Amino acid sequence: MEDAQKGPDHIAIIMDGNGRWAAARGLPRLFGHRAGAEAVRRTVEACCELGVKVLTLYAFSWENWDRPARETGELMELLDEFVRRELPTLHANHVRLRAIGRLETLPSGVLATLQRAMAETAGCDRMTLVLALSYGGRQEIVDATRRLATLVRQGRLDPAQIDETLFARHLYAADLPDPDLLIRTSGEQRLSNFLLWQSSYTEWYVTSKCWPDFSKEDLLDAIAAYERRERRFGKTMVRG
Ligand code: FPP
């Protein structure tokens, strides 16, 4: 019998389909996002129970700013409300909250709420919940390149020293491992500018369920599918 691969340490999720979930029920999109926030709460709890070390959620992309102002405003309010409401539970479950993206573009009140929650959970070490906010994979690579270019201009870095390891050290959350498993809900099979650098060898799992319907059983199905895969990282077979 083939050895099962150990479960994923880092799961990343593209939480898609809130709008379709709402439309199917004749509801405004906000109701889909609200139900999506509940799915976030359930998924964080399930990942914690399952011993996942890092959970990264694509909560608001850089491109999402092009949505109508009413929807982006509602999403920001929902985010603020979610972080305030969940902070005691995150703390009690020893979950550290972090955020990646162009955080300086978030409304100042939301940024303040996030910074407070990140500071209060900084010592938590059971699981890390990473919210990708104002986040784009291309933007992250551009921002890392700008930092490196600044170091070169200051004479503190020789361009010949830049390799994959040094580059990765200038990404938003350089200390976190690459995702092992990337889940996308609502059937679409694309990366949508999420963790472009980090997901080079990440295993994909796509479910047709819309994000608000994503359950612990769906998470377990995704993990089971991952455990059946053989990861080769471009090398030859590692198992006999
Ligand atoms: C995609 O659905 C989802 C988003 C753009 C935002 C994700 C937000 C949440 C899950 C809720 C709030 C998050 C937190 C962390 C509290 P969509 O609107 O693109 O759906 P559609 O493709 O069906 O229109």
Side-chain angles (χ1 to χ4, degrees), residues 52-105:
V52 171
K53 286 288 161 210
V54 184
L55 173 66
T56 300
L57 300 176
Y58 204 5
F60 193 88
S61 74
W62 179 250
E63 288 75 21
N64 283 157
W65 286 118
D66 291 333
R67 292 190 178 197
R70 178 175 169 177
E71 182 170 349
T72 58
E74 286 171 348
L75 276 167
M76 288 299 133
E77 274 178 35
L78 191 55
L79 175 69
D80 191 82
E81 185 186 306
F82 175 88
V83 173
R84 285 172 191 271
R85 197 187 59 212
E86 292 303 313
L87 181 56
T89 311
L90 293 176
H91 209 273
N93 290 332
H94 306 281
V95 177
R96 179 175 180 188
L97 182 69
R98 293 179 65 174
I100 54 171
R102 289 183 170 166
L103 305 181
E104 68 283 2
T105 64

Side-chain angles (χ1 to χ4, degrees), residues 29 43 77 81 84 89 122 126-127 140-142 147 149-150 184 195 202:
R29 294 176 63 80
T43 305
E77 274 178 35
E81 185 186 306
R84 285 172 191 271
T89 311
R126 180 171 173 198
M127 186 177 96
E140 179 173 30
I141 290 169
V142 166
R147 284 190 209 122
T150 304
R184 180 163 188 152
L195 302 178
T202 299

Side-chain angles (χ1 to χ4, degrees), residues 27-222:
L27 296 168
R29 294 176 63 80
L30 174 63
F31 285 72
H33 294 316
R34 286 203 171 278
E38 272 308 296
V40 169
R41 198 187 50 70
R42 292 195 302 270
T43 305
V44 172
E45 190 179 280
C47 283
C48 220
E49 279 170 23
L50 294 168
V52 171
K53 286 288 161 210
V54 184
L55 173 66
T56 300
L57 300 176
Y58 204 5
F60 193 88
S61 74
W62 179 250
E63 288 75 21
N64 283 157
W65 286 118
D66 291 333
R67 292 190 178 197
R70 178 175 169 177
E71 182 170 349
T72 58
E74 286 171 348
L75 276 167
M76 288 299 133
E77 274 178 35
L78 191 55
L79 175 69
D80 191 82
E81 185 186 306
F82 175 88
V83 173
R84 285 172 191 271
R85 197 187 59 212
E86 292 303 313
L87 181 56
T89 311
L90 293 176
H91 209 273
N93 290 332
H94 306 281
V95 177
R96 179 175 180 188
L97 182 69
R98 293 179 65 174
I100 54 171
R102 289 183 170 166
L103 305 181
E104 68 283 2
T105 64
L106 295 172
S108 56
V110 175
L111 185 57
T113 300
L114 265 176
Q115 281 171 334
R116 194 171 57 245
M118 290 193 287
E120 279 185 32
T121 60
C124 297
D125 60 2
R126 180 171 173 198
M127 186 177 96
T128 300
L129 169 63
V130 185
L131 297 180
L133 294 164
S134 265
Y135 176 87
R138 287 185 174 177
Q139 288 72 19
E140 179 173 30
I141 290 169
V142 166
D143 289 349
T145 307
R146 283 190 188 148
R147 284 190 209 122
L148 290 169
T150 304
L151 292 174
V152 170
R153 192 182 55 195
Q154 292 168 341
R156 294 162 62 198
L157 179 69
D158 176 352
Q161 291 172 277
I162 302 174
D163 59 9
E164 292 90 325
T165 307
L166 187 112
F167 192 90
R169 256 189 246 142
H170 292 81
L171 296 171
Y172 295 139
D175 55 317
L176 294 179
D178 288 345
D180 300 299
L181 170 63
L182 172 72
I183 299 172
R184 180 163 188 152
T185 57
S186 92
E188 245 73 66
Q189 301 187 36
R190 53 176 173 260
L191 204 45
S192 298
N193 204 15
F194 189 40
L195 302 178
L196 295 185
W197 177 280
Q198 299 87 338
S199 59
S200 293
Y201 283 99
T202 299
E203 296 292 327
W204 282 48
Y205 181 87
V206 175
T207 166
S208 59
K209 283 228 181 144
C210 287
W211 173 250
D213 289 329
F214 191 78
S215 64
K216 183 172 180 182
E217 286 64 41
D218 297 315
L219 178 67
L220 289 169
D221 285 348

